[in-house]
Amino acid sequence: MNFSRIRLGVVAALAASGIVAVSAPMPTAAADGPGVRYISFGDSQTAAVYAGGGGPLGLPELQQQPKTVPPPNPVACGRTNYGWPSTLAGEWGLGAPQLGDWADYACQSATTDIEPVNNLRTQVDQSIKDGMLGPATKLVTIQIGGNDTWYPGQQSSFVYTLVLCMVDILRGCDDRVDPNLYLDANAVTGASLAQRLTAGLRGDIIGAIRAAAPNVAIKLVGYPDPLPPVGVPFVCTHVVGIPVPWPQARSAYAHKLSDAVESAQRDAAEQLGLGFWSLRPPTAGHDACAADSYWTGVADPGQSFFPFHQTLQGHAVEGTYLNGARIAEGIG
C-alpha cells in the first residue's frame, strides 16, 4: 500500500473542496508555557490497538508508546504508531509521541466515565501529571463513546449491540429485538454524553482540560461507519484476507444505532462549545463489505490490529483528512 499516494490524494481532494489550505505555513514552536502542542485521547479506534504479529507477512511491529504508570491507568495499552493521531501529528511535523511535540493517551476499552481504571478522566489526569497537557497545547482530540454505558441499567455497549444485532440471522436487525441486552438507540443522545463529560461519575472532564490548557481547541472525533449501505442483504468480515459475508437483509436498527452515536457526539460538542470532526466523509464507500474495506478481519495479512477496527490504510486516510481540517480551522 502506498500511503504517501493515499495521503496526497486526500489532501488534493480536501484542497479542491476548499476544506484545506495547502499553502498554509508550517507550525512554529509554541511559546505559551509547558505542554505539548497536540494530545490525543480515546479508545481502541484511536489507538490502532495491537493484536499480535510483527515482521512476517508484512505485519507492522508493535510500537508501544511510553506507558503511563498505574494507578489509575490500566497496566498495558496496545497502542501503536499507526493510528490516525500519528498520521495527523506526523503531517503537522510534531515528531514522535510523548517524545516530540505531541502525546497519545488513547487506550483500548476506554469509556467516558464508567470503567474505573480506563476512562477519559484517567487519560486527562495522566497527561497533566506527565506535563503534556498545558498552556502550550493547541489541540486535543477525543474519540470516545463506543464502549460507554449511556443510561442506568444498560447491559451492552454500542459496539457489542451492533455486532450481536447484525449476526442475528433469525430475528434480524430491523428492531431492538432484545430490549434486555441491546443498547437503546433512543437513549444515545448529545445530552447524555455532554452530562457525562462535565458532570458524570468522573466530574468535569472538559473543565479539567480547559483549566490545564486555556489555549486549546477541543474536538470530539466521530467513528467511521462499518455498516454496508441500506439495502445490502449481507454483512461481512475477513478471515486471512478472504471476504466472508453472511446474510442479513434486515439492518435498520443497526444503522439507527450507528447514526445515533454520531449525532450524540456532534450534539454534545455543540452543547459544550467544542468542535466535532466526523470521519464519515473520508471513509465513505470503505465499509466492512466494500471491495476496498478499511475494516480489519481475523488474521488479515499485513494487519496486526484487532478485528473490526480500522486498517493501516484507513488510519492513514483519516489522519490526513483530520490534519486538513486542522489547517482549515487555523489550529496550529
Side-chain angles (χ1 to χ4, degrees):
M1 249 172 244
N2 189 329
F3 289 165
S4 296
R5 186 172 298 170
I6 292 168
R7 286 195 275 267
L8 287 172
V10 175
V11 170
L14 289 169
S17 65
I19 294 177
V20 55
V22 176
S23 60
M26 292 294 292
T28 57
D32 302 302
V36 294
R37 189 176 294 268
Y38 166 49
I39 295 183
S40 167
F41 300 119
D43 55 27
S44 60
Q45 291 287 2
T46 319
V49 64
Y50 185 72
L57 302 176
L59 294 174
E61 297 282 358
L62 171 65
Q63 298 292 327
Q64 173 67 55
Q65 312 303 340
K67 182 65 193 78
T68 54
V69 293
N73 285 314
V75 175
C77 289
R79 190 188 310 120
T80 74
N81 285 344
Y82 301 100
W84 59 258
S86 291
T87 298
L88 188 163
E91 295 186 358
W92 195 352
L94 302 183
Q98 266 84 352
L99 303 174
D101 204 11
W102 79 287
D104 195 351
Y105 288 90
C107 189
Q108 70 270 15
S109 303
T111 64
T112 300
D113 68 338
I114 299 301
E115 169 58 45
V117 296
N118 186 13
N119 57 69
L120 179 58
R121 185 59 184 259
T122 62
Q123 295 180 21
V124 171
D125 288 349
Q126 191 68 53
S127 72
I128 296 172
K129 178 180 178 181
D130 293 345
M132 297 293 180
L133 184 67
T137 306
K138 300 300 183 184
L139 173 64
V140 158
T141 56
I142 301 171
Q143 189 176 42
I144 207 79
N147 303 311
D148 277 12
T149 297
W150 289 81
Y151 53 87
Q154 176 187 329
Q155 298 183 41
S156 181
S157 67
F158 158 65
V159 172
Y160 284 112
T161 300
L162 203 64
V163 172
L164 291 172
C165 189
M166 289 299 286
V167 301
D168 193 336
I169 297 173
L170 295 179
R171 296 181 296 181
C173 193
D174 272 345
D175 303 288
R176 189 182 175 215
V177 295
D178 191 341
N180 292 323
L181 187 59
Y182 286 11
L183 172 62
D184 184 357
N186 293 321
V188 178
T189 65
S192 171
L193 181 56
Q195 189 273 336
R196 289 180 287 113
L197 284 169
T198 56
L201 294 177
R202 309 299 164 183
D204 189 355
I205 305 173
I206 298 302
I209 295 173
R210 285 171 165 157
N215 304 310
V216 74
I218 304 172
K219 302 293 181 179
L220 299 188
V221 178
Y223 294 110
D225 189 357
L227 298 171
V230 175
V232 174
F234 49 82
V235 70
C236 315
T237 189
H238 295 81
V239 178
V240 295
I242 301 172
V244 180
W246 65 88
Q248 182 54 277
R250 296 167 290 174
S251 61
Y253 190 74
H255 283 280
K256 179 179 180 179
L257 188 60
S258 181
D259 290 344
V261 172
E262 173 95 350
S263 295
Q265 292 168 322
R266 186 187 302 275
D267 292 347
E270 183 176 356
Q271 292 173 35
L272 299 177
L274 313 177
F276 177 74
W277 286 343
S278 175
L279 285 179
R280 292 198 172 190
T283 58
H286 300 278
D287 57 79
C289 288
D292 185 16
S293 175
Y294 288 169
W295 291 89
T296 57
V298 178
D300 286 346
Q303 304 289 340
S304 65
F305 302 155
F306 280 177
F308 208 59
H309 287 73
Q310 292 294 277
T311 63
L312 288 164
Q313 183 182 10
H315 277 291
V317 169
E318 291 163 11
T320 292
Y321 180 85
L322 294 179
N323 187 51
R326 173 195 67 81
I327 294 172
E329 294 190 27
I331 300 171

